[in-house]
Structure formats: structure tokens, C-alpha cells
């Protein structure tokens, strides 16, 4: 009988400034929450995949993150590893867990993201080698170049970026655990200071301490668990590593390649997706993905988001928990978790009515990496 | 305790020749001797055909702004805001990250023709770009 991978447990910590707790404390708390959510015991876990945040990565210059995490959780799994794909890492480890479970390499695979950049040493400000000599610092610089291209080519306006920021905060206001629960207006957005023009402060995601975990197992194993299984209908990755040399870099994301593959595997099109969980490190990334996943045509994402279409009352709710712009920086694992909760119908005030399909994306590093999951109830 | 100087390039075995050419006031890109592909940054092989028969070719230093951003926040004390970081498309094909200098940040635009101008920064001559009034590349 074919083994089909499903998600059967999710859990996370608070997100925000969480002083006095190391990333390890946070990751352990998220792991325990995910195992409890499924109604399983730690001894049931036989797979461990981790997405170490930017301030962790490789430890002591040599120890891979999963090795210390496994030691601290007392695990001797049959399958283990860490993925360093930036913001695509969490979606990618859930995908890798699905592949491992379906191949019979393990039965219950724990996927963990965690980091505490606000309270522990580390940095989000990275520069790539000699480019720092020109003052090119941070992920914001790269995304500012993409934003400028979109404005130049398609006439995208600040108000279009603002629609994404305003929608995220409106969603966050309905999410009890969100780091930012105060809605903002378009005027608030336009008044927020320019940081790396054309990006304003409110175009940029939050920086958060926190951890999140997801359990992947087989449909058969999930039958007698505490929570309803969420099916993994499709998945794919695509990357753009040659960066500036690629003609379309900054104009299209690798989502344009892996999106159709993930949706195709699920037998769905963008029009069939009830709730979209789109990685939103910067507002422009949401606009680009709306185009690259086929929710609208290339160049038309600005007009597409007008009038609150991706907000709580819109026809395509994007990131109903608030995403990286309002819920908290969870690398993409919070996006997976919100998709699972929406498909289980357990999200209260922010529940998308009749949600049966979800698309989840991860996008990372210098617009280089991308991963997609299509989930179904 | 912060170093007031801007960060400096860190030449290595791959990029040493590039920075030495800059010091002579010459912008030189990597050239594949097998397929003719021109590229930046310098690497161990041609990113198009993987040949390791590589040379360098001086280029015109002319191109246009592919995209740009204005830093309105000071990330480093040696780079006070505002300043322009641009992805410059050279007429010969390769692209590089640099600064647009010699005009107000607000005067920079996508597709603006530019030409290289070397500026002393510490021990280096950095290839920066200024508006090319007599035309350059266009997209």
C-alpha cells in the first residue's frame, strides 16, 4: 500500500521579544507542543529535520543544528538533517519530511524552526562579500531592487505595497498570538519612514524570537491520532542561484517554476486555492508571488490587491494569521501551521469559510530559494 | 569601537586579479576562452559551459542602471545616508553591484546610461558609476 504523507501535529511558542530563553528552550517548547497536538509521545518521533534561523546555522563552526537539537530532545532518529535555505527552509523541511515518510525512511518526522535574534547574538544584516564595500547591506537592499523594477516596469505604486502591509495588520488584529495586533491605515503606511527606498519600515517583516514545529506522518498512522490529518497534495522547489546573471532575476521568482509543479501534482490551479500562505519578508514578495503562482497576470498584482482583496474580507485571503509582517517571524513554519489550522477549521474569528485547499510558500536568502506546499483537508 | 571606515573588499584567489585591475583604473571581467561568455563576479569556471580556461577582458565601463535603491538608513558609519546602490548592467553583458555618484539620489532612474569612475577608498579603487551624458547602453 502506498504511504501518503500528512501533517498531524503543529505547535509554536509566543513570538516577539522573549528574553531569558535560548533558541533551544523555544525549539523544545514548540516540539513538545506539536507532539502533544497530535496526541503522540516523544518516543514516537523517529525523524528530525531542522531549519536553524539566521542567528544559529552552524554552531561552534562545525556542529550541525540538528545534532545538538537531537541531543537536547533525547532523540535517536532513523532520519535527520538540517536545511539552510533561508526563508524557504521551513517549507522545504516539511517537504523533505513528506518524502522521507513516503519512502519509508521514518514514520513520524518532527520539523522544527526556531531562533531568537532579538535576545541572542546574531544578525539579520548580511552583506555578500565585496558588495558591502558599496554599502549594500541586508536583505532589504535586494528586495528594494526588485521593488524598483516592478514600479518601473508595471507602474506599481506605493499604495499597492501598502495594501499588502495594511492587509497583514488587519489579519494580525484577529490573531491572538500575533506580535502586532494593532491595525494600520494606508496613511500610517505612507507616513512610515523610508529605509531602503522604495521600501518603507512597514514593508519589512518583523524580527522575532520564537519557534514553531510540525509533525509529518503517514495517513495510516494519522487515523487514530488526536487531530484530523491535513493532506500534502503537492510540493516542489525551485532556486535561482546564479542571481544577477539570470535575465529575469528581480522580475520573476523561482515560484514561477515550482508553483505550477506543486499545483499540478495536486491537480489544482491557483483558482482552486481557498487560502494562500505566501512568504512575506517584504511586501513586494507577496505581489511577485501573486503573479508567479498565477493568481493574477505578471505586472497586475498592484491592481489585484486594491480594495482589500487579500485582506480579511477579500476574495483571496493571504496570510490570515498576519504572516511575517504581523504574526511574527517564523521563517515560514508559521505559514505551514496557519494553513493546517485553517484546513482543520479551528481558527475562530479569522477562519476562512469553507477552506479546503491551501498553498504555502517559502522564499529565502537573496531571492534565491523557493519551496511550495499544496495542502488539503 | 565601530570602525569609521567603510567595509573594504576582501580579495581572494578568485577576485585578486579583478581588484588589481581596478587599482590600475581598468574594469576587467572574466572571459571564457572556450565559449566566449563574459561574467562577474570572477569564479573558478565559466558559469555557462564550466570550462576552466578563463581569461579577463577589459570592458568599456559603460552600461545602464538595471535597478537601484536609495539607502535612507545608515547601516555603517563609513557609509552615511543617503547613498545609491545600483545593479549596473554593463554593455558587454555582466552585471555588478555598485554606487551611482556625481548626482543627487533623486536624479537616478532605471535605464539611465552610466559609465565607470574609479574612486579611492582606503587601499582600493572602487568602480563606481556616474551618469553618462553622451549616451551609453540602453535596455
Amino acid at each position: 500500500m502506498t504511504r501518503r504523507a500528512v501533517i498531524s501535529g503543529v505547535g509554536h511558542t509566543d513570538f516577539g521579544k522573549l528574553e531569558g530563553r535560548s533558541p533551544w528552550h523555544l525549539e523544545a517548547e514548540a516540539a513538545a507542543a506539536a507532539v502533544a497536538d497530535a496526541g503522540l509521545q516523544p518516543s514516537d518521533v523517529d525523524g528530525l529535520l531542522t531549519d536553524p534561523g539566521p542567528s544559529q546555522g552552524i554552531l561552534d563552526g562545525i556542529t550541525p543544528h540538528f545534532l545538538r537539537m537531537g541531543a537536547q530532545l533525547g532523540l535517536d532518529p532513523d532520519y535527520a538533517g538540517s536545511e539552510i535555505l533561508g526563508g524557504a527552509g521551513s517549507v522545504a523541511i516539511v517537504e523533505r519530511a513528506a518524502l522521507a515518510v513516503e519512502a519509508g525512511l521514518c514514520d513520524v518526522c518532527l520539523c522544527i524552526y526556531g531562533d531568537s535574534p532579538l535576545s541572542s547574538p546574531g544578525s539579520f544584516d548580511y552583506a555578500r562579500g565585496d558588495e558591502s564595500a558599496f554599502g549594500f547591506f541586508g536583505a532589504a537592499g535586494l528586495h528594494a531592487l526588485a521593488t524598483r523594477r516592478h514600479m518601473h516596469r508595471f507602474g506599481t505604486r506605493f499604495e499597492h505595497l501598502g495594501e499588502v502591509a495594511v492587509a497583514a495588520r488587519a489579519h494580525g488584529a484577529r490573531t491572538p498570538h500575533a506580535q502586532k495586533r494593532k491595525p494600520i491605515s494606508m496613511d500610517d503606511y505612507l507616513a512610515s519612514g523610508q529605509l531602503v527606498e522604495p521600501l518603507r519600515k512597514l514593508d519589512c517583516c518583523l524580527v522575532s524570537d520564537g519557534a514553531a514545529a510540525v509533525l509529518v506522518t503517514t495517513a495510516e498512522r494519522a487515523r487514530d491520532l488526536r487531530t484530523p490529518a491535513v493532506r500534502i497534495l503537492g510540493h516542489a522547489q525551485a532556486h535561482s542561484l546564479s542571481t544577477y546573471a539570470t535575465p529575469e532575476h528581480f522580475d520573476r521568482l523561482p515560484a514561477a517554476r515550482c508553483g505550477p509543479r506543486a499545483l499540478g501534482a495536486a491537480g489544482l490551479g491557483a483558482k482552486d486555492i481557498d487560502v494562500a500562505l505566501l512568504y512575506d519578508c517584504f511586501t513586494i514578495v507577496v505581489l511577485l508571488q501573486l503573479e508567479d503562482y498565477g493568481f493574477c497576470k505578471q505586472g497586475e498584482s498592484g491592481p489585484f490587491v486594491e480594495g482589500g482583496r487579500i485582506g480579511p474580507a477579500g476574495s483571496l485571503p493571504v496570510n490570515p494569521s498576519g504572516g511575517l509582517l504581523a504574526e511574527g517571524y517564523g521563517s515560514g513554519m508559521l505559514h505551514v501551521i496557519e494553513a493546517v489550522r485553517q484546513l482543520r477549521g479551528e481558527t475562530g474569528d479569522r477562519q476562512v469559510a469553507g477552506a479546503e485547499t491551501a498553498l504555502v510558500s517559502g522564499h529565502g536568502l537573496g531571492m534565491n530559494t523557493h519551496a511550495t506546499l499544496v495542502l488539503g483537508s | 569601537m565601530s570602525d569609521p571606515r567603510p567595509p573594504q573588499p576582501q580579495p581572494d584567489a578568485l577576485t585578486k586579479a579583478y581588484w588589481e585591475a581596478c587599482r590600475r583604473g581598468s574594469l576587467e571581467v572574466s572571459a571564457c576562452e572556450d565559449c566566449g561568455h563574459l561574467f562577474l563576479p570572477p569564479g573558478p569556471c565559466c558559469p555557462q559551459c564550466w570550462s576552466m580556461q578563463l581569461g579577463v577582458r577589459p570592458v568599456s565601463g559603460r552600461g545602464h542602471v538595471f535597478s537601484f535603491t536609495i539607502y535612507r538608513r545608515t547601516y555603517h558609519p563609513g557609509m552615511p545616508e543617503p547613498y545609491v546602490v545600483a545593479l549596473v548592467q554593463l554593455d558587454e553583458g555582466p552585471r555588478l553591484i555598485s554606487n551611482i555618484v556625481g548626482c543627487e539620489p533623486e536624479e537616478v532612474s532605471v535605464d539611465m546610461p552610466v559609465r565607470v569612475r574609479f574612486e579611492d577608498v582606503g587601499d582600493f579603487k572602487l568602480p563606481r558609476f556616474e551618469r553618462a551624458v553622451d549616451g551609453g547602453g540602453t535596455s
Side-chain angles (χ1 to χ4, degrees):
Chain A
M1 181 182 148
T2 308
R3 290 162 62 98
R4 299 295 308 180
V6 300
I7 296 173
S8 274
V10 298
H12 60 81
T13 63
D14 291 336
F15 275 76
K17 187 166 174 63
L18 308 173
E19 286 176 288
R21 288 196 286 166
S22 71
W24 305 110
H25 287 101
L26 300 170
E27 289 164 314
E29 181 185 328
V35 169
D37 183 53
L40 286 164
Q41 298 299 316
S43 56
D44 293 318
V45 174
D46 65 354
L48 174 67
L49 294 172
T50 73
D51 170 17
S55 73
Q56 297 190 86
I58 302 297
L59 309 160
D60 308 326
I62 184 165
T63 309
H65 181 263
F66 75 88
L67 188 58
R68 190 182 294 178
M69 189 80 251
Q72 292 172 153
L73 292 175
L75 293 176
D76 297 311
D78 296 330
Y79 189 76
S82 294
E83 297 258 20
I84 301 180
L85 289 173
S90 285
V91 170
I93 60 174
V94 174
E95 178 188 42
R96 185 136 84 94
L99 291 167
V101 161
E102 292 187 352
L105 302 176
C106 58
D107 290 324
V108 178
C109 192
L110 175 63
C111 305
I112 307 179
Y113 161 81
D115 202 5
S116 58
L118 291 177
S119 304
S120 300
S123 176
F124 273 80
D125 287 345
Y126 63 91
R128 295 185 170 195
D130 293 345
E131 292 174 356
S132 60
F134 300 96
F136 194 46
F137 305 116
L142 282 153
H143 289 84
L145 295 178
T147 308
R148 179 83 65 186
R149 290 282 304 170
H150 210 271
M151 292 175 134
H152 172 77
R153 293 185 71 203
F154 304 118
T156 306
R157 303 194 308 270
F158 287 119
E159 288 80 359
H160 294 137
L161 301 170
E163 285 274 358
V164 179
V166 169
R169 290 295 193 95
H171 287 303
R174 298 167 163 219
T175 305
H177 64 264
Q179 193 172 328
K180 295 284 185 189
R181 298 205 60 203
K182 190 174 163 219
I184 56 168
S185 66
M186 185 62 79
D187 287 343
D188 294 332
Y189 168 80
L190 293 171
S192 85
Q194 291 267 12
L195 286 185
V196 183
E197 198 177 317
L199 295 180
R200 298 165 193 275
K201 187 178 177 208
L202 289 176
D203 289 303
C204 306
C205 68
L206 304 171
V207 179
S208 319
D209 302 334
V214 163
L215 271 185
V216 176
T217 188
T218 62
E220 187 177 23
R221 180 70 185 268
R223 259 185 227 126
D224 57 355
L225 296 182
R226 201 178 73 78
T227 49
V230 165
R231 294 180 297 153
I232 298 171
L233 303 175
H235 53 77
Q237 295 184 28
H239 309 294
S240 173
L241 309 183
S242 58
T243 308
Y244 312 142
T246 306
E248 287 208 315
H249 198 84
F250 296 118
D251 292 341
R252 289 226 94 126
L253 297 177
R257 289 184 279 139
C258 63
R261 297 201 336 260
L263 285 163
L268 300 174
K271 65 180 186 327
D272 303 312
I273 295 299
D274 298 323
V275 51
L277 286 299
L278 303 180
Y279 197 86
D280 53 341
C281 50
F282 299 95
T283 52
I284 183 67
V285 177
V286 173
L287 296 184
L288 289 170
Q289 288 176 97
L290 288 169
E291 299 173 4
D292 293 340
Y293 279 113
F295 293 106
C296 63
K297 289 187 178 145
Q298 188 177 26
E300 295 182 359
S301 58
F304 181 85
V305 298
E306 283 175 354
R309 186 181 298 194
I310 63 171
S315 59
L316 179 69
V318 172
N319 300 339
S321 49
L324 303 172
L325 294 164
E327 181 184 16
Y329 186 84
S331 185
M333 199 62 95
L334 285 176
H335 289 68
V336 178
I337 290 176
E338 178 65 9
V340 169
R341 288 175 169 164
Q342 286 286 337
L343 297 176
R344 289 178 182 173
E346 60 184 29
T347 54
D349 291 347
R350 65 180 194 276
Q351 180 66 40
V352 175
E356 293 179 354
T357 57
L359 183 146
V360 192
S361 71
H363 156 103
L365 304 175
M367 307 185 69
N368 294 128
T369 59
H370 204 92
T372 309
L373 288 173
V374 179
L375 305 179
S377 55
Chain B
M1 78 168 248
S2 59
D3 188 341
R5 293 181 312 171
Q8 300 247 310
Q10 306 288 326
D12 58 20
L14 294 175
T15 61
K16 189 161 167 276
Y18 175 81
W19 289 112
E20 281 177 357
C22 286
R23 201 166 280 142
R24 298 192 303 270
S26 175
L27 190 62
E28 299 183 2
V29 304
S30 297
C32 176
E33 291 176 1
D34 283 325
C35 77
H37 183 53
L38 303 180
F39 61 95
L40 283 176
C45 68
C46 170
Q48 196 159 274
C49 74
W50 292 9
S51 166
M52 299 185 79
Q53 302 303 312
L54 304 177
V56 295
R57 183 187 298 180
V59 291
S60 64
R62 289 178 177 274
H64 66 271
V65 173
F66 184 81
S67 193
F68 72 100
T69 170
I70 305 171
Y71 275 68
R72 299 284 184 190
R73 172 188 152 184
T74 297
Y75 276 77
H76 189 284
M79 296 286 294
E81 62 90 15
Y83 62 93
V84 175
V85 173
L87 183 61
V88 172
Q89 170 81 65
L90 297 174
D91 286 354
E92 292 84 358
R95 296 173 181 168
L96 72 161
I97 290 288
S98 183
N99 303 121
I100 306 300
V101 295
C103 66
E104 294 300 317
E106 293 76 15
E107 295 174 44
V108 178
S109 59
V110 176
D111 290 342
M112 183 173 94
V114 293
R115 67 179 173 207
V116 73
R117 146 176 152 182
F118 289 92
E119 294 191 344
D120 290 312
V121 176
D123 301 331
F124 288 85
K125 279 190 188 296
L126 292 185
R128 290 180 162 141
F129 289 79
E130 62 187 0
R131 188 202 300 262
V133 288
D134 54 349
T138 54
S139 64

